Amino acid sequence: MSTPASAHSAPSAAPDAGTVTDRLVEANRAYAGEFTDPGMDARPVLKVAVVACMDARLDLHAALGLELGDCHTIRNAGGVVTDDVIRSLTISQRALGTRSVVLVHHTGCGLEQLTEDFRHDIEREVGQRPAWAVEAFRDVDQDVRQSMQRVRTSPFLLSTEDVRGFVFDVKTGLLREITPAV
């Protein structure tokens, strides 16, 4: 089970003790002081790549029973399969030997509240259109199906037979498998 943010072992800091980044760097110093080289390379032991949402409520390693070195983890807003995710999966498969892809979306995703208007609002604010799409969605199950289809039909990937998609319930911690589109 994931630990609440208040129970993290990162050094506590008074409000005027520096930035969040300063706290993270200090936590890294403590980590490095006890760090031992695990003696592994970049090839995931389980030959799996996990694509998931960047939502802070998802502790993927804990939720999936993974250890350091077991998988490649690719995260973005919504866990959607974008061109950059295909790029990362292609490198993961072709250069580092992964063969399975697990997609993890979740309940209560912020992308369900956005539209492409978000992108247009940014353009109006900064005077430049973002080159990326928001990839907002209304139906999380359908978006998982779309992401599975994008992986399965990519000409750049070597292995598309073992592609499975799930929705993680942020209230219960359970995964619900999504049946692919036919």
Side-chain angles (χ1 to χ4, degrees):
M1 176 172 228
S2 179
T3 15
S6 60
H8 283 233
S9 60
S12 60
D16 61 341
T19 67
V20 171
T21 303
D22 292 334
R23 289 177 57 201
L24 298 175
V25 170
E26 182 58 34
N28 173 257
R29 286 188 190 107
Y31 171 79
E34 298 179 19
F35 182 77
T36 336
D37 179 359
M40 56 181 70
D41 67 13
R43 295 176 184 276
V45 173
L46 299 179
K47 297 185 180 198
V48 63
V50 179
V51 178
C53 184
M54 65 186 193
D55 192 294
R57 297 172 291 180
L58 275 67
D59 183 349
L60 285 175
H61 277 73
L64 300 175
L66 296 167
E67 299 293 329
L68 182 68
D70 282 349
C71 72
H72 283 157
T73 306
I74 304 161
R75 295 182 81 157
N76 67 20
V80 296
V81 175
T82 61
D83 287 345
D84 194 58
V85 168
I86 293 294
R87 171 189 159 273
S88 293
L89 288 172
T90 301
I91 293 166
S92 179
Q93 287 190 356
R94 291 180 175 269
L96 298 165
T98 61
R99 292 298 173 255
S100 299
V101 178
V102 173
L103 305 170
V104 181
H105 284 38
H106 65 92
T107 58
C109 185
L111 282 188
E112 292 175 292
Q113 307 306 314
L114 294 178
T115 66
E116 283 300 315
D117 287 341
F118 178 79
R119 189 168 163 246
H120 300 299
D121 293 344
I122 291 172
E123 179 182 7
R124 280 190 291 277
E125 179 184 327
V126 303
Q128 181 177 343
R129 176 178 292 157
W132 38 264
V134 175
E135 295 277 353
F137 53 87
R138 294 282 179 252
D139 181 338
V140 67
D141 290 19
Q142 182 54 35
D143 201 65
V144 172
R145 284 186 194 94
Q146 176 177 295
S147 290
M148 284 191 282
Q149 188 64 17
R150 285 179 178 175
V151 171
R152 288 191 169 127
T153 59
S154 173
F156 308 113
L157 300 176
L158 293 172
S159 185
T160 58
E161 298 80 36
D162 189 16
V163 177
R164 294 172 66 187
F166 301 86
V167 174
F168 176 85
D169 188 312
V170 298
K171 302 287 187 201
T172 67
L174 289 173
L175 289 176
R176 178 173 50 83
E177 188 157 10
I178 302 301
T179 306
V182 287

